[in-house]
């Protein structure tokens, strides 16, 4: 579904697991590199997921300082290591993350079902080197900011969703329904149904809906917590995504209409009940008292609907 490079025969491409071995990456590092656009992929013609072209692997292996340079671009750290990189306290780093100043790239749930946020080490190093960020790394936060934090402000789930949506859109490539499905993946089924009324379009949209990361067994407390992170929660965020989904579906409908069943052949359709509609030239007389007193049966309702 990526569409980043042209499809090539399987003899000139390999599976993600093979690419991991040849690039010296763990599977999580490989997936993150794909999301960030460091590794270009292509769809498997057999429907088996993504593949990596041999030329892409050769390109990466030819880079200077391979494989350390590639690993460095996907290195992630937690809040404690991130604080050390920025040379700030753990509490200040957490406040910066809750304010959306630094954006997590991944998350997982530990054995206590606590959310552990991960950040790109390379991004944090760039953030620390930017002199314009110096006021954020020292000094006291403004009063209004401290009040927001005291009220429980935490933008980490929302900033992660924004970044994750960018990853999904990159993987969707130029496929219009895949682009719409990327947006729909951050909304619940009710929200999507309110935007996409046609059931055939919703079914087509679901074909391209990306899988959510698994966190525990379905309906388990861990899975429910992960769902609250992966689904939009704030009203303004939901409104923005709904508008984005409506536009994406409109574009997809125009560029590539969703398939729908063909109407039954005329010979197989029921004959039209022509007797229900009186001729246009025949004037209807008002009902008699006996007719008006009759119960309103389904046939009578149908007759009134056809007049």
């Amino acid at each position: 579904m990526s569409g980043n490079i042209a499809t090539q025969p399987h003899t000139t491409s390999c599976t993600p697991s093979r690419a991991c071995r040849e690039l010296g990456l763990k599977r999580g590092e490989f997936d993150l590199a794909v999301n960030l656009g460091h590794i270009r992929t292509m769809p498997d013609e057999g429907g088996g997921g993504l593949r990596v072209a041999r030329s892409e692997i050769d390109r990466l292996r030819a880079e200077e300082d391979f494989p350390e340079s590639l690993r460095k671009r996907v290195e992630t750290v937690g809040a404690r290591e991130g604080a050390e990189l920025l040379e700030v306290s753990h509490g200040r780093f957490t406040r910066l993350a809750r304010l959306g100043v630094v954006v997590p790239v991944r998350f997982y749930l530990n054995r206590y079902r606590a959310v552990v946020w991960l950040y790109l080490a390379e991004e944090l190093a760039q953030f620390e080197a930017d002199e314009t960020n110096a006021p954020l790394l020292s000094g006291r936060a403004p009063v209004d900011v401290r009040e927001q934090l005291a009220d429980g402000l935490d933008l980490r789930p929302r900033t992660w969703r924004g970044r994750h949506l960018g990853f999904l859109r990159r993987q969707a490539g130029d496929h219009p329904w895949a682009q719409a499905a990327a947006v729909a993946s951050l909304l619940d089924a009710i929200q999507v149904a309110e935007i996409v009324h046609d059931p055939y379009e919703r079914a087509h949209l679901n074909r391209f809906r990306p899988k959510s990361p698994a966190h525990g067994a379905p309906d388990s407390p861990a899975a429910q917590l992960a769902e609250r992170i992966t689904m939009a929660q704030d009203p303004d965020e939901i409104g923005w995504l709904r508008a984005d989904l409506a536009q994406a579906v409109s574009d997809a409908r125009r560029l590539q209409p969703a398939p729908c069943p063909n109407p039954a052949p005329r010979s197989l359709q029921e004959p039209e009940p022509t007797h229900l509609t009186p001729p246009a030239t025949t004037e209807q007389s008002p009902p008699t008292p006996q007719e008006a007193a009759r119960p309103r049966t389904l046939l009578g309702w149908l007759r009134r609907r056809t007049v």
Side-chain angles (χ1 to χ4, degrees), residues 45-181:
E45 292 180 341
L50 301 177
R51 295 183 71 86
V52 182
R54 173 58 54 185
S55 59
E56 177 68 1
I57 293 177
D58 294 341
R59 180 186 71 82
L60 293 167
R61 291 174 64 91
E63 289 183 348
E64 186 177 358
D65 297 330
F66 174 86
E68 287 75 16
S69 59
L70 180 57
R71 287 175 180 164
K72 186 177 180 179
R73 281 181 281 174
V74 295
E75 180 185 0
T76 57
V77 295
R80 193 169 302 279
E81 299 88 347
E84 294 175 357
L85 284 173
L86 297 185
E87 298 181 353
V88 298
S89 67
H90 179 268
R92 179 177 287 273
F93 182 90
T94 302
R95 289 192 293 273
L96 291 174
R98 289 176 59 188
L99 290 169
V101 176
V102 292
V103 180
V105 70
R106 300 181 69 179
F107 77 91
Y108 68 90
L109 306 180
N110 63 18
R111 59 179 178 174
Y112 305 108
R113 291 203 296 272
V115 182
V116 180
W117 298 100
L118 299 176
Y119 306 83
L120 282 174
E122 186 178 54
E123 279 188 355
L124 296 181
Q126 294 171 354
F127 181 88
E128 194 273 336
D130 189 343
E131 295 181 356
T132 61
N133 294 324
L136 299 171
L137 302 178
S138 61
R140 192 170 176 81
V143 176
D144 58 338
V145 172
R146 295 201 304 270
E147 291 177 348
Q148 287 179 316
L149 291 171
D151 290 339
L153 175 68
D154 189 352
L155 296 179
R156 287 175 293 184
R158 181 166 179 167
T159 54
W160 175 85
R161 286 192 293 269
R163 176 168 234 164
H164 185 60
L165 178 57
F167 292 164
L168 297 178
R169 280 176 157 163
R170 178 180 289 114
Q171 294 178 24
D174 57 0
H175 195 292
W177 286 101
Q179 285 284 341

Side-chain angles (χ1 to χ4, degrees), residues 203-271:
H204 193 58
L205 187 70
N206 287 333
R207 286 185 55 199
F208 300 95
R209 190 182 181 101
K211 295 181 180 179
S212 300
H215 295 276
D219 297 326
S220 66
Q224 293 173 2
L225 175 57
E227 183 177 1
R228 287 198 295 272
I229 294 175
T230 56
M231 292 290 177
Q233 303 293 330
D234 303 324
D236 62 328
E237 180 188 10
I238 292 174
W240 177 82
L241 288 171
R242 284 170 62 98
D244 197 6
L245 176 60
Q247 183 61 53
V249 170
S250 177
D251 293 341
R253 189 182 292 127
R254 174 174 50 85
L255 296 171
Q256 192 180 94
C260 62
N262 294 325
R266 189 69 180 176
S267 59
L268 299 180
Q269 295 180 359
E270 295 183 3

Side-chain angles (χ1 to χ4, degrees), residues 185-202:
S185 68
L186 301 185
L187 295 168
D188 60 37
I190 296 176
Q191 299 281 352
V192 174
E194 289 177 351
I195 300 299
V196 188
H197 301 136
D198 191 313
Y200 297 114
E201 287 186 340
R202 286 202 303 274

Side-chain angles (χ1 to χ4, degrees), residues 275-295:
H275 65 282
L276 294 181
T277 304
T281 57
T282 303
E283 295 185 0
Q284 291 185 324
S285 59
T288 64
Q290 293 79 4
E291 291 174 336
R294 291 175 184 171

